Amino acid sequence: MDKSLKSNTFALGACYYPEHWPESLWEKDFQRMKEMGFSVVRLAEFAWSIFEPKEGEFSFDFFDKVIDLAYSFGLKVILGTPTATPPAWLTSKYPEVLNVSQEGVPYQHGQRRHYNYNAPKYLELCARIATKMAEHYKDHPAVIGWQIDNELNCEMNVFYSEADHQAFRSWVKNKYGSLTELNQRWGTVFWNQSYTEWSQVHLTRPTVSDSPNPHQALDEKRFFSDSAIAFAKNQVDIIRKLAPNQWITTNGLFGHLDSHKLADECLDFISYDSYPQFSSIYPDKGPNPLLDRKWSWNLGVARSISSNFCIMEQQSGPGGWVNRMDMPAPKPGQLRLWTYQSIAHGVDMLLYFRWRTAAFGTEIYWHGIHNYDNRKNRRVLEAEQVGKELEMIGEEIVGSKYQADVAIVKDYDNEWDGELDRWYGPFNSQSEMAWFKVLQRRHIPVDALFLTKSSTVEDLLKYKLLVYPHSAVMPEEKANLLKDYVNRGGKIVFGCRTGYKDNSGHCYLTPMPGPVAELCGVTVDDFTMIGPNEAPPKISIQGVEEHQEIIAESFNDILHVESDQTEVLGTYKNAYYDGQPALVKNTFGNGDVYYYGAVFNQEIVNLLVDRMQINSPASDLLKLPEDVELSIRKHMDTEKALIYLLNYSKDPKEITLKKPIKEKLTGQTLNGNITMEGYGVMILEG
């Protein structure tokens, strides 16, 4: 089922908080929005106390006035269910709804997301407020859709209230059926952890040395995800029934949440909150950081759920709370650049966060388009420019699909199991970023591809190359899917620590890489972590000059060739396993598999990209510097495409057009050497 946003026109807008400022500003705000080309606002996601000031007493007068006024200016409205911030009367009267730390300390009223997903009373009260809102607004001509809650699992993605322990007990009982099966799946015979009564089963609790049962911990993450999905579905089912003509989404991609399953079971499409400036305080740890350009990967993850999606919150100013997350202001041009970054990656609706900066509260430094003074500033002018540009070309954008022949493969089990397991978990982000950086700077578009229970070989065959860096958890059915893909002509690249765990996180009692050993044409003879006091070995790559150093980082699988179809492409040097295979290529059916016995860095990725002859799809049209990102969106029915060029450098960059091409934002036909301004954007006809 296609879980994508469907629209005929591009929708641009802002998150709007009328409860934060005088009513005298509303009309001027909405008038200015229309003048700027805005068409949509999001309202009410934190306004439970306005709708229900006392338990069981409901009032819609405030937001009726706001929504009616917005509609009079031709603006559409997205309503948030306000369940991310329960009111004080609720948490005071029903403290069992509060979340609890693993140590057993309850969180208190005063911020947001301080509740748990499983307290029956909270589910009841959330259902009631969703019902009242849907009944009231189901036929309002301004209301086009609903955002469920706000940023599920943001701030806190672990839950240890008594309600959660009880729900987890029911969850594992339903999953395993018997304690005998649970004990087997969790390996409880180890260290005498076996359970004899269901009442003994809990979520993980504080342990000596802070090292819980890893199989229990993996199931815990699955339970947290299912709890969040059930919490959302509690509201979704009500709104679907009462307001069938209004779409439903939610925003964010946060930890311990299977967002693909959430979309499949609850949503019409996913929405994402894009804050590229987080890169200024949480930069990637590897060399040559992408900074705000890294957000293109995050957008790709959102696109893996909905090929066309919504940015519910697009950063439009400096960000920060009063006591954390202090970010610099976007440089002139960056607000527009980040907007088109989102659009280039599949967005058909975008709302800036926020219209005006809050003058009080925790987020008084999380700036919007307008500052406190409400005057036009450079950010307002940039947003206004975007609005005018999208009025010209928005209809050409909507519905077109991002084009990529390469995908980096992910799955939730390895993500969650790898949080605890330091023998492969930390490697995934390093390898993922090494691949993404190289592909970005070589102008090779790339998708994120999540393998789920519903994945088919047709989903995989959309790509010429799959990169699946450290897939330790490799159940047989997933291995068979990958074999089918390669047999039918696909290419896969694996890294070390592949295929040695089953779905419960138990290690297979067979040679690594377990169920994909035949696919890879090798087994692992030996392996070692690279210790803190030793240098990683170098590898000698076939056809590479001796002086070029390739470092086999972090962990080394020492490989043994098992197939006549397997070619050794690289061997270790300067280690006790000197001369042993480090990189191999195996022909399997009509396709090829590469197994690299270490953690990927940019040097080995560049060598592999060269060897596999993966080129930019626009290489015949353009010559681009590394600082400029290339994205292509195409209408699949007409084959019409738009080529997005985004300059992430503050400095002008020269690009070369190899034939005359029309630039859509200016209407000019360009050819030859062209200078892109710093933080500049160009959109070319494909």
Side-chain angles (χ1 to χ4, degrees):
M1 182 183 297
D2 184 12
K3 288 289 182 177
S4 283
L5 169 62
K6 296 175 177 63
S7 177
N8 295 320
T9 58
F10 196 99
L12 185 69
C15 304
Y16 193 68
Y17 299 92
E19 64 270 33
H20 292 179
W21 37 76
E23 184 177 344
S24 60
L25 294 176
W26 298 352
E27 185 170 350
K28 294 177 183 177
D29 287 341
F30 292 148
Q31 181 177 353
R32 183 178 288 182
M33 288 183 192
K34 284 303 289 184
E35 293 170 352
M36 294 173 65
F38 287 15
S39 60
V40 63
V41 292
R42 183 189 68 177
L43 302 172
E45 77 272 16
F46 298 130
W48 193 331
S49 294
I50 296 176
F51 290 114
E52 190 179 6
K54 294 182 180 180
E55 184 176 5
E57 297 181 11
F58 297 91
S59 174
F60 297 94
D61 294 346
F62 181 89
F63 278 101
D64 283 354
K65 187 180 294 186
V66 177
I67 294 171
D68 289 344
L69 184 61
Y71 185 62
S72 73
F73 283 91
L75 296 169
K76 298 298 185 180
V77 171
I78 303 165
L79 282 176
T81 62
T83 53
T85 51
W89 61 255
L90 193 160
T91 55
S92 176
K93 185 175 181 180
Y94 305 108
E96 69 270 23
V97 310
L98 293 168
N99 192 11
V100 175
S101 73
Q102 191 180 46
E103 293 75 23
V105 179
Y107 294 99
Q108 299 300 320
H109 191 91
Q111 196 195 333
R112 64 177 179 178
R113 309 212 59 81
H114 43 286
Y115 59 90
N116 68 71
Y117 292 133
N118 287 298
K121 192 65 183 181
Y122 197 57
L123 291 170
E124 173 193 329
L125 295 174
C126 289
R128 187 173 68 180
I129 189 66
T131 299
K132 294 294 185 180
M133 291 179 68
E135 287 175 341
H136 191 80
Y137 292 113
K138 61 186 174 65
D139 296 319
H140 198 294
V143 178
I144 57 173
W146 296 81
Q147 174 192 294
I148 300 301
D149 201 80
N150 185 76
E151 298 183 334
L152 294 167
N153 283 16
C154 179
E155 256 100 60
M156 183 58 60
N157 58 26
V158 293
F159 305 86
Y160 298 101
S161 72
E162 181 56 32
D164 294 307
H165 285 291
Q166 292 180 16
F168 182 61
R169 199 169 295 130
S170 297
W171 185 88
V172 293
K173 190 173 184 179
N174 181 66
K175 179 172 183 175
Y176 296 122
S178 70
L179 285 170
T180 300
E181 182 69 9
L182 180 142
N183 284 323
Q184 193 279 324
R185 293 296 189 94
W186 284 7
T188 56
V189 68
F190 185 81
W191 280 350
N192 198 35
Q193 298 173 42
S194 299
Y195 298 102
T196 56
E197 299 288 344
W198 286 107
S199 60
Q200 299 164 1
V201 177
H202 293 81
L203 294 157
T204 61
R205 294 181 290 181
T207 59
V208 175
S209 304
D210 190 28
S211 187
N213 179 319
H215 318 294
Q216 178 189 11
L218 176 57
D219 263 351
E220 176 179 87
K221 309 302 191 304
R222 294 164 172 160
F223 164 75
F224 291 152
S225 177
D226 284 354
S227 295
I229 294 169
F231 174 80
K233 196 171 189 299
N234 179 52
Q235 300 176 43
V236 166
D237 289 348
I238 292 166
I239 297 172
R240 285 256 185 254
K241 181 178 179 180
L242 294 174
N245 297 319
Q246 296 164 344
W247 47 254
I248 299 174
T249 187
T250 195
N251 57 328
L253 298 172
F254 295 97
H256 304 163
L257 178 56
D258 183 336
S259 296
H260 294 72
K261 184 178 179 181
L262 171 67
D264 286 343
E265 296 187 2
C266 297
L267 309 179
D268 292 298
F269 56 88
I270 196 71
S271 296
Y272 180 61
D273 297 344
S274 187
Y275 289 96
Q277 198 70 325
F278 267 119
S279 62
S280 66
I281 53 177
Y282 304 123
D284 69 77
K285 298 177 181 178
N288 306 318
L290 288 171
L291 300 176
D292 54 335
R293 188 172 176 178
K294 187 262 181 185
W295 243 247
S296 293
W297 173 244
N298 299 26
L299 293 162
V301 173
R303 190 177 62 247
S304 73
I305 304 168
S306 299
S307 56
N308 298 94
F309 59 104
C310 168
I311 293 295
M312 198 63 77
E313 300 179 12
Q314 176 70 57
Q315 184 168 8
S316 62
W321 292 3
V322 292
N323 63 336
R324 56 189 290 236
M325 295 188 291
D326 41 323
M327 304 178 194
K331 308 299 186 293
Q334 281 189 318
L335 182 149
R336 178 171 173 264
L337 172 68
W338 296 339
T339 302
Y340 281 107
Q341 178 184 32
S342 293
I343 294 170
H345 284 274
V347 166
D348 283 353
M349 178 187 294
L350 182 144
L351 289 82
Y352 291 110
F353 187 86
R354 42 192 283 164
W355 175 254
R356 182 185 295 107
T357 308
F360 50 80
T362 299
E363 291 188 340
I364 59 173
Y365 302 124
W366 208 291
H367 293 67
I369 301 170
H370 292 84
N371 293 321
Y372 316 111
D373 56 25
N374 207 40
R375 295 186 298 180
K376 277 195 174 185
N377 57 43
R378 61 180 174 85
R379 301 195 304 277
V380 174
L381 293 174
E382 281 188 41
E384 187 174 36
Q385 179 183 354
V386 171
K388 292 177 180 178
E389 291 169 345
L390 290 175
E391 285 179 343
M392 291 190 303
I393 67 168
E395 290 188 7
E396 296 183 58
I397 292 172
V398 293
S400 58
K401 308 295 183 183
Y402 184 89
Q403 300 297 296
D405 292 328
V406 179
I408 297 173
V409 182
K410 297 171 66 69
D411 67 82
Y412 291 103
D413 282 343
N414 277 291
E415 180 179 312
W416 296 338
D417 186 61
E419 287 183 16
L420 183 65
D421 191 333
R422 295 176 59 183
W423 283 65
Y424 80 95
F427 306 153
N428 273 309
S429 59
Q430 178 181 337
S431 290
E432 194 175 89
M433 276 299 98
W435 276 93
F436 186 68
K437 287 177 182 179
V438 168
L439 295 171
Q440 269 281 306
R441 292 188 168 114
R442 295 177 68 140
H443 313 110
I444 300 169
V446 58
D447 275 345
L449 175 65
F450 277 73
L451 293 188
T452 69
K453 291 181 179 179
S454 62
S455 296
T456 66
V457 70
E458 284 72 26
D459 297 327
L460 277 58
L461 286 168
K462 297 174 185 176
Y463 303 100
K464 296 177 181 177
L465 172 67
L466 300 180
V467 179
Y468 201 1
H470 310 289
S471 49
V473 178
M474 181 67 70
E476 291 281 354
E477 57 270 22
K478 187 186 297 182
N480 290 335
L481 178 66
L482 297 173
K483 289 177 184 177
D484 194 7
Y485 164 74
V486 177
N487 191 50
R488 293 168 64 172
K491 285 185 172 65
I492 297 180
V493 177
F494 291 114
C496 66
R497 309 304 284 157
T498 289
Y500 66 93
K501 287 186 177 183
D502 68 14
N503 203 45
S504 295
H506 293 206
C507 296
Y508 289 112
L509 301 180
T510 58
M512 296 184 282
V516 292
E518 180 188 11
L519 182 62
C520 298
V522 295
T523 55
V524 177
D525 252 2
D526 197 0
F527 55 84
T528 182
M529 186 88 71
I530 305 301
N533 297 316
E534 57 183 327
K538 299 175 183 177
I539 54 175
S540 176
I541 304 293
Q542 184 185 56
V544 175
E545 294 180 9
E546 183 74 21
H547 66 269
Q548 184 172 356
E549 294 185 352
I550 304 297
I551 305 298
E553 295 193 22
S554 302
F555 200 103
N556 293 167
D557 283 346
I558 296 95
L559 307 177
H560 183 269
V561 172
E562 300 283 354
S563 169
D564 293 339
Q565 301 298 314
T566 303
E567 179 184 1
V568 176
L569 303 180
T571 55
Y572 293 106
K573 55 188 297 188
N574 309 112
Y576 66 84
Y577 36 95
D578 189 277
Q580 297 300 305
L583 172 67
V584 300
K585 171 190 172 185
N586 185 50
T587 300
F588 186 91
N590 294 307
D592 298 317
V593 177
Y594 293 79
Y595 193 105
Y596 179 62
V599 178
F600 292 97
N601 55 32
Q602 293 175 68
E603 289 73 25
I604 190 63
V605 173
N606 271 309
L607 282 168
L608 286 169
V609 169
D610 286 340
R611 182 178 184 88
M612 292 184 285
Q613 298 181 323
I614 304 169
N615 299 310
S616 170
S619 57
D620 292 339
L621 298 174
L622 301 160
K623 182 179 179 182
L624 301 173
E626 285 190 351
D627 288 313
V628 175
E629 178 180 5
L630 167 79
S631 292
I632 302 172
R633 287 183 62 171
K634 180 189 290 186
H635 286 280
M636 306 313 293
D637 52 348
T638 64
E639 294 294 310
K640 290 184 177 180
L642 292 178
I643 301 170
Y644 296 79
L645 305 180
L646 309 172
N647 180 13
Y648 290 89
S649 171
K650 68 181 188 302
D651 300 317
K653 295 293 175 181
E654 186 175 277
I655 67 171
T656 301
L657 306 178
K658 300 180 180 180
K659 68 176 186 179
I661 302 176
K662 184 177 181 180
E663 203 284 318
K664 300 295 293 185
L665 298 177
T666 62
Q668 296 178 329
T669 298
L670 307 176
N671 195 15
N673 295 331
I674 305 295
T675 299
M676 285 189 73
E677 64 182 353
Y679 305 127
V681 174
M682 296 176 66
I683 303 177
L684 309 177
E685 282 189 349

Coordinates of all heavy atoms in Angstrom, one line a residue, residues 208-262:
V208 N 23.4 -5.3 38.3 CA 24.8 -5.2 38.6 C 25.6 -5.0 37.3 O 25.3 -5.7 36.3 CB 25.3 -6.4 39.3 CG1 26.8 -6.3 39.6 CG2 24.6 -6.6 40.7
S209 N 26.5 -4.0 37.3 CA 27.3 -3.7 36.1 C 26.5 -3.2 34.9 O 27.0 -3.0 33.8 CB 28.1 -4.9 35.6 OG 28.9 -5.4 36.7
D210 N 25.2 -2.9 35.2 CA 24.4 -2.2 34.1 C 24.4 -3.0 32.8 O 24.6 -2.5 31.7 CB 24.8 -0.8 33.9 CG 23.8 0.0 33.0 OD1 22.6 -0.3 33.0 OD2 24.3 0.9 32.3
S211 N 24.2 -4.3 32.9 CA 24.2 -5.2 31.7 C 23.1 -6.2 31.8 O 23.2 -7.3 32.3 CB 25.6 -5.9 31.7 OG 25.7 -6.7 30.5
P212 N 21.9 -5.8 31.2 CA 20.7 -6.6 31.3 C 20.9 -7.8 30.3 O 21.7 -7.9 29.4 CB 19.6 -5.7 30.8 CG 20.3 -4.7 29.9 CD 21.7 -4.5 30.5
N213 N 19.9 -8.7 30.4 CA 19.8 -9.9 29.5 C 19.6 -9.3 28.1 O 18.6 -8.6 27.8 CB 18.6 -10.7 29.9 CG 18.4 -11.9 28.9 OD1 18.5 -11.8 27.7 ND2 18.0 -13.0 29.5
P214 N 20.5 -9.5 27.1 CA 20.4 -8.9 25.8 C 19.2 -9.2 25.0 O 18.7 -8.5 24.2 CB 21.7 -9.3 25.1 CG 22.1 -10.5 25.8 CD 21.7 -10.4 27.2
H215 N 18.7 -10.5 25.2 CA 17.5 -10.9 24.5 C 16.2 -10.3 25.0 O 15.3 -9.9 24.3 CB 17.4 -12.4 24.5 CG 18.8 -13.1 24.3 ND1 19.5 -13.0 23.1 CD2 19.6 -13.7 25.1 CE1 20.7 -13.5 23.2 NE2 20.8 -14.0 24.5
Q216 N 16.2 -10.2 26.3 CA 15.1 -9.4 27.0 C 15.1 -8.0 26.6 O 14.1 -7.4 26.3 CB 15.2 -9.5 28.5 CG 14.2 -8.7 29.3 CD 14.6 -8.7 30.8 OE1 15.7 -9.1 31.2 NE2 13.6 -8.3 31.6
A217 N 16.3 -7.4 26.5 CA 16.5 -6.0 26.1 C 16.0 -5.7 24.7 O 15.4 -4.7 24.4 CB 17.9 -5.5 26.3
L218 N 16.2 -6.7 23.8 CA 15.8 -6.6 22.4 C 14.3 -6.6 22.3 O 13.6 -5.8 21.7 CB 16.4 -7.7 21.5 CG 15.9 -7.7 20.1 CD1 16.1 -6.4 19.3 CD2 16.6 -8.9 19.3
D219 N 13.7 -7.6 23.1 CA 12.2 -7.6 23.1 C 11.6 -6.4 23.8 O 10.5 -5.9 23.4 CB 11.7 -8.9 23.9 CG 11.4 -10.0 23.0 OD1 11.4 -9.8 21.7 OD2 11.2 -11.1 23.5
E220 N 12.3 -5.8 24.7 CA 11.8 -4.6 25.3 C 11.7 -3.5 24.3 O 10.7 -2.7 24.3 CB 12.8 -4.2 26.4 CG 12.5 -2.9 27.1 CD 13.6 -2.5 28.2 OE1 14.6 -1.9 27.9 OE2 13.3 -2.9 29.4
K221 N 12.7 -3.3 23.4 CA 12.6 -2.3 22.4 C 11.4 -2.5 21.5 O 10.7 -1.6 21.1 CB 13.9 -2.2 21.6 CG 15.2 -2.1 22.3 CD 15.3 -1.0 23.2 CE 16.7 -0.8 23.8 NZ 17.2 -2.0 24.5
R222 N 11.2 -3.8 21.1 CA 10.0 -4.1 20.3 C 8.7 -3.8 21.0 O 7.7 -3.3 20.4 CB 10.0 -5.6 19.9 CG 11.2 -6.0 19.0 CD 11.4 -7.5 19.1 NE 12.4 -8.0 18.1 CZ 13.1 -9.1 18.1 NH1 12.8 -10.0 19.1 NH2 13.9 -9.4 17.2
F223 N 8.7 -4.0 22.3 CA 7.5 -3.7 23.1 C 7.3 -2.2 23.2 O 6.1 -1.7 23.0 CB 7.6 -4.3 24.5 CG 6.7 -3.7 25.5 CD1 5.4 -4.1 25.5 CD2 7.1 -2.7 26.4 CE1 4.5 -3.5 26.4 CE2 6.2 -2.2 27.4 CZ 4.9 -2.6 27.4
F224 N 8.3 -1.4 23.4 CA 8.2 0.0 23.4 C 7.6 0.5 22.1 O 6.7 1.4 22.1 CB 9.5 0.7 23.6 CG 10.1 0.5 25.0 CD1 11.5 0.6 25.2 CD2 9.3 0.3 26.1 CE1 12.1 0.4 26.4 CE2 9.9 0.2 27.4 CZ 11.3 0.2 27.5
S225 N 8.0 0.0 21.0 CA 7.5 0.4 19.7 C 6.0 0.0 19.5 O 5.2 0.8 19.1 CB 8.3 -0.3 18.6 OG 7.8 0.0 17.3
D226 N 5.7 -1.2 19.9 CA 4.3 -1.6 19.8 C 3.4 -0.8 20.7 O 2.2 -0.5 20.3 CB 4.2 -3.1 20.1 CG 4.6 -4.0 19.0 OD1 4.9 -3.5 17.9 OD2 4.7 -5.3 19.2
S227 N 3.9 -0.4 21.8 CA 3.1 0.4 22.8 C 2.8 1.8 22.2 O 1.7 2.3 22.3 CB 3.9 0.6 24.1 OG 4.0 -0.6 24.8
A228 N 3.9 2.4 21.5 CA 3.7 3.7 20.9 C 2.7 3.6 19.8 O 1.8 4.5 19.6 CB 5.0 4.2 20.4
I229 N 2.8 2.5 19.0 CA 1.8 2.3 17.9 C 0.4 2.1 18.4 O -0.6 2.7 17.8 CB 2.3 1.2 17.0 CG1 3.6 1.5 16.3 CG2 1.2 0.8 15.9 CD1 4.3 0.4 15.6
A230 N 0.2 1.3 19.4 CA -1.1 1.1 20.0 C -1.7 2.4 20.5 O -2.9 2.7 20.4 CB -1.0 0.0 21.0
F231 N -0.8 3.2 21.2 CA -1.2 4.5 21.7 C -1.7 5.4 20.6 O -2.8 6.0 20.7 CB -0.1 5.2 22.4 CG -0.3 6.6 22.9 CD1 -1.0 6.8 24.1 CD2 0.1 7.6 22.2 CE1 -1.3 8.1 24.5 CE2 -0.1 8.9 22.6 CZ -0.8 9.2 23.8
A232 N -1.0 5.5 19.5 CA -1.5 6.3 18.3 C -2.8 5.7 17.7 O -3.7 6.4 17.4 CB -0.4 6.3 17.3
K233 N -2.8 4.4 17.6 CA -4.0 3.8 17.0 C -5.2 4.0 17.8 O -6.4 4.1 17.3 CB -3.7 2.3 16.8 CG -4.7 1.6 15.8 CD -4.3 0.2 15.5 CE -5.1 -0.5 14.4 NZ -6.5 -0.5 14.8
N234 N -5.1 4.1 19.1 CA -6.2 4.4 20.0 C -6.9 5.7 19.5 O -8.2 5.8 19.6 CB -5.7 4.6 21.4 CG -6.7 4.9 22.4 OD1 -7.8 4.3 22.5 ND2 -6.5 6.0 23.2
Q235 N -6.2 6.7 19.1 CA -6.7 7.9 18.6 C -7.1 7.8 17.1 O -8.1 8.4 16.6 CB -5.8 9.1 18.8 CG -5.4 9.3 20.2 CD -4.4 10.4 20.4 OE1 -4.4 11.5 19.8 NE2 -3.4 10.2 21.3
V236 N -6.3 7.1 16.3 CA -6.5 7.1 14.9 C -7.8 6.4 14.6 O -8.6 6.9 13.7 CB -5.3 6.3 14.2 CG1 -5.7 5.9 12.8 CG2 -4.0 7.1 14.2
D237 N -8.1 5.3 15.2 CA -9.4 4.6 14.9 C -10.6 5.5 15.1 O -11.6 5.4 14.4 CB -9.5 3.4 15.8 CG -8.5 2.3 15.4 OD1 -7.9 2.4 14.3 OD2 -8.3 1.3 16.1
I238 N -10.5 6.4 16.2 CA -11.6 7.3 16.4 C -11.8 8.3 15.3 O -12.9 8.6 14.8 CB -11.4 8.0 17.8 CG1 -11.5 7.0 18.9 CG2 -12.3 9.1 18.0 CD1 -10.9 7.5 20.2
I239 N -10.7 8.9 14.9 CA -10.7 10.0 13.9 C -11.1 9.4 12.6 O -11.8 10.0 11.8 CB -9.3 10.7 13.9 CG1 -9.1 11.4 15.2 CG2 -9.3 11.7 12.7 CD1 -7.7 12.0 15.3
R240 N -10.6 8.2 12.2 CA -10.9 7.5 11.0 C -12.4 7.4 10.9 O -13.0 7.6 9.8 CB -10.3 6.2 10.9 CG -8.8 6.2 10.6 CD -8.5 5.9 9.1 NE -7.1 5.8 9.0 CZ -6.3 6.7 8.3 NH1 -6.9 7.8 7.8 NH2 -5.0 6.6 8.2
K241 N -13.1 7.0 12.0 CA -14.5 6.7 12.0 C -15.3 8.0 11.9 O -16.3 8.1 11.2 CB -14.9 5.9 13.2 CG -16.4 5.6 13.3 CD -16.7 4.8 14.6 CE -18.2 4.5 14.7 NZ -18.5 3.7 15.9
L242 N -14.9 9.0 12.7 CA -15.7 10.2 12.8 C -15.4 11.2 11.7 O -16.2 12.0 11.3 CB -15.4 10.9 14.1 CG -15.9 10.1 15.4 CD1 -15.4 10.9 16.6 CD2 -17.4 10.0 15.4
A243 N -14.1 11.2 11.2 CA -13.7 12.2 10.2 C -13.0 11.5 9.0 O -11.8 11.7 8.7 CB -12.8 13.3 10.8
P244 N -13.8 10.7 8.2 CA -13.1 9.9 7.2 C -12.6 10.7 6.0 O -11.8 10.2 5.2 CB -14.3 9.0 6.7 CG -15.5 9.7 7.1 CD -15.2 10.5 8.3
N245 N -12.9 12.0 5.9 CA -12.5 12.8 4.8 C -11.2 13.6 5.1 O -10.8 14.4 4.3 CB -13.6 13.7 4.3 CG -14.8 12.9 3.8 OD1 -14.6 11.9 3.1 ND2 -16.0 13.3 4.1
Q246 N -10.7 13.4 6.3 CA -9.5 14.2 6.7 C -8.4 13.2 6.9 O -8.6 12.1 7.5 CB -9.8 14.9 8.0 CG -10.9 16.0 7.8 CD -11.4 16.5 9.1 OE1 -11.3 15.9 10.2 NE2 -12.1 17.7 9.1
W247 N -7.2 13.5 6.4 CA -6.1 12.6 6.5 C -5.5 12.6 7.9 O -5.7 13.5 8.7 CB -5.0 12.8 5.4 CG -4.6 14.2 5.2 CD1 -4.9 15.0 4.1 CD2 -3.7 15.0 6.0 NE1 -4.3 16.2 4.2 CE2 -3.5 16.3 5.4 CE3 -3.0 14.8 7.2 CZ2 -2.7 17.3 5.9 CZ3 -2.2 15.8 7.8 CH2 -2.1 17.0 7.1
I248 N -4.6 11.6 8.1 CA -4.0 11.4 9.5 C -2.5 11.1 9.3 O -2.1 10.3 8.5 CB -4.6 10.2 10.2 CG1 -6.1 10.5 10.5 CG2 -3.9 10.0 11.6 CD1 -6.8 9.3 11.2
T249 N -1.7 11.9 10.0 CA -0.2 11.7 10.0 C 0.3 11.8 11.4 O -0.5 12.1 12.4 CB 0.5 12.7 9.1 OG1 1.8 12.3 8.9 CG2 0.3 14.1 9.6
T250 N 1.5 11.7 11.6 CA 2.2 12.1 12.8 C 3.6 12.5 12.5 O 4.1 12.1 11.4 CB 2.2 11.1 14.0 OG1 2.5 11.7 15.2 CG2 3.1 9.9 13.7
N251 N 4.3 13.2 13.3 CA 5.6 13.8 13.0 C 6.8 13.2 13.8 O 6.6 12.9 15.0 CB 5.6 15.3 13.2 CG 5.2 15.7 14.6 OD1 4.5 15.0 15.3 ND2 5.8 16.8 15.1
G252 N 7.9 13.0 13.1 CA 9.1 12.6 13.8 C 9.5 11.2 13.5 O 8.7 10.4 13.1
L253 N 10.8 10.9 13.6 CA 11.4 9.6 13.5 C 12.3 9.4 14.7 O 13.5 9.9 14.7 CB 12.2 9.5 12.2 CG 11.4 9.6 10.9 CD1 12.4 9.6 9.7 CD2 10.4 8.5 10.7
F254 N 11.8 8.8 15.7 CA 12.6 8.7 17.0 C 12.8 7.3 17.4 O 12.3 6.3 16.8 CB 11.8 9.5 18.1 CG 11.7 10.9 17.8 CD1 10.6 11.5 17.2 CD2 12.8 11.8 18.1 CE1 10.5 12.9 17.0 CE2 12.7 13.1 17.9 CZ 11.6 13.7 17.3
G255 N 13.7 7.1 18.4 CA 14.2 5.8 18.8 C 13.1 4.9 19.3 O 12.1 5.3 19.9
H256 N 13.3 3.6 19.2 CA 12.4 2.6 19.8 C 11.0 2.7 19.2 O 10.1 2.4 19.9 CB 12.4 2.6 21.3 CG 13.8 2.5 21.9 ND1 14.0 2.8 23.2 CD2 14.9 2.1 21.4 CE1 15.3 2.6 23.5 NE2 15.9 2.2 22.4
L257 N 11.0 3.0 17.9 CA 9.7 3.1 17.2 C 9.8 2.6 15.8 O 10.6 3.2 15.0 CB 9.1 4.5 17.3 CG 7.8 4.8 16.5 CD1 6.7 3.9 17.1 CD2 7.4 6.3 16.7
D258 N 9.1 1.6 15.4 CA 9.1 1.1 14.1 C 8.1 2.0 13.3 O 6.9 1.8 13.2 CB 8.6 -0.4 14.1 CG 8.6 -1.0 12.7 OD1 8.5 -0.2 11.7 OD2 8.6 -2.2 12.6
S259 N 8.7 3.0 12.7 CA 7.9 4.0 12.0 C 7.2 3.5 10.8 O 6.2 4.0 10.3 CB 8.8 5.3 11.7 OG 9.2 5.9 12.9
H260 N 7.8 2.5 10.2 CA 7.2 1.8 9.0 C 5.9 1.1 9.4 O 4.9 1.2 8.7 CB 8.2 0.9 8.3 CG 9.4 1.6 7.7 ND1 10.4 2.1 8.5 CD2 9.7 1.8 6.4 CE1 11.3 2.7 7.6 NE2 10.9 2.5 6.4
K261 N 6.0 0.4 10.5 CA 4.8 -0.3 11.0 C 3.8 0.7 11.5 O 2.6 0.5 11.2 CB 5.2 -1.2 12.2 CG 4.1 -2.1 12.7 CD 4.6 -3.0 13.8 CE 3.5 -3.9 14.4 NZ 4.0 -4.7 15.5
L262 N 4.2 1.8 12.1 CA 3.3 2.8 12.5 C 2.5 3.4 11.3 O 1.3 3.5 11.4 CB 4.1 3.9 13.2 CG 3.3 5.2 13.5 CD1 2.2 5.0 14.6 CD2 4.3 6.3 13.9

